[in-house]
């Protein structure tokens, strides 16, 4: 590893605009929809810049990313390890700490001789409001 590998990313006006727009959203959003909201707000940040900024935020642990319908969706997140409960209808997302999931993952990994674990758990369903509308 070189010194450049651990250097913090340079903060740019465009990256900060993407970070702020992502933080303003309470659900997972696509790069395209985030770009559109930035453009609507008068920003000149390009779509390619939005993609790069979102990927960097996810890599740095400032955003969660998940695959849905063939595209990656992003959401600002807390820096601690967590899981998600996500409404399939409105996109409402709740961050969860799940000690039982952590114990289960550790136990299953140990049974199969795996170490240095990483895992992602996203639970999809309908929130109470969306379920009530059905």
């Amino acid at each position: 590893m070189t010194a450049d590998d651990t250097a913090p990313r340079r903060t740019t006006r465009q990256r900060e605009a993407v970070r702020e727009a992502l933080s303003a959203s309470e659900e997972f959003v696509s790069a395209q929809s985030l770009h559109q909201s930035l453009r609507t707000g008068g920003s000149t940040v390009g779509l390619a810049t939005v993609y790069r900024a979102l990927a960097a935020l996810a890599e740095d642990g400032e955003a969660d990313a998940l695959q849905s319908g063939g595209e990656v969706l992003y959401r600002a997140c807390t820096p601690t390890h967590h899981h998600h409960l996500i409404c399939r209808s409105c996109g409402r997302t709740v961050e969860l700490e799940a000690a039982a999931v952590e114990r289960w993952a550790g136990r299953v990994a140990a049974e199969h001789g795996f170490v240095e674990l990483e895992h992602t758990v996203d639970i999809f369903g309908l929130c109470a409001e969306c379920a009530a509308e059905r």
Side-chain angles (χ1 to χ4, degrees):
M1 184 189 295
T2 67
D4 291 339
D5 292 337
T6 59
R9 294 184 199 272
R10 186 170 62 102
T11 300
T12 64
R13 176 184 56 80
Q14 294 91 343
R15 184 169 294 157
E16 192 55 35
V18 171
R19 179 184 284 117
E20 288 175 12
L22 189 62
S23 293
S25 177
E26 294 195 14
E27 67 248 1
F28 282 89
V29 295
S30 68
Q32 293 91 349
S33 67
L34 194 65
H35 176 253
Q36 184 58 47
S37 74
L38 284 164
R39 301 287 293 187
T40 300
S43 174
T44 60
V45 175
L47 181 58
T49 300
V50 171
Y51 272 105
R52 283 191 302 274
L54 288 171
L57 289 169
E59 186 177 313
D60 293 345
E62 294 184 58
D64 288 320
L66 65 84
Q67 287 276 66
S68 178
E71 69 180 331
V72 180
L73 303 178
Y74 298 90
R75 179 178 180 272
C77 71
T78 59
T80 60
H81 179 70
H82 58 273
H83 306 287
H84 301 106
L85 186 57
I86 306 163
C87 180
R88 285 191 312 262
S89 181
C90 71
R92 177 175 177 243
T93 303
V94 178
E95 288 187 6
L96 306 170
E97 291 185 23
V101 170
E102 304 308 318
R103 288 190 300 274
W104 172 81
R107 187 176 66 249
V108 168
E111 288 171 4
H112 296 278
F114 280 66
V115 296
E116 298 184 29
L117 304 180
E118 293 180 18
H119 64 273
T120 303
V121 176
D122 295 319
I123 303 168
F124 294 86
L126 291 177
C127 70
E129 292 82 12
C130 290
E133 291 176 6
R134 289 191 159 205

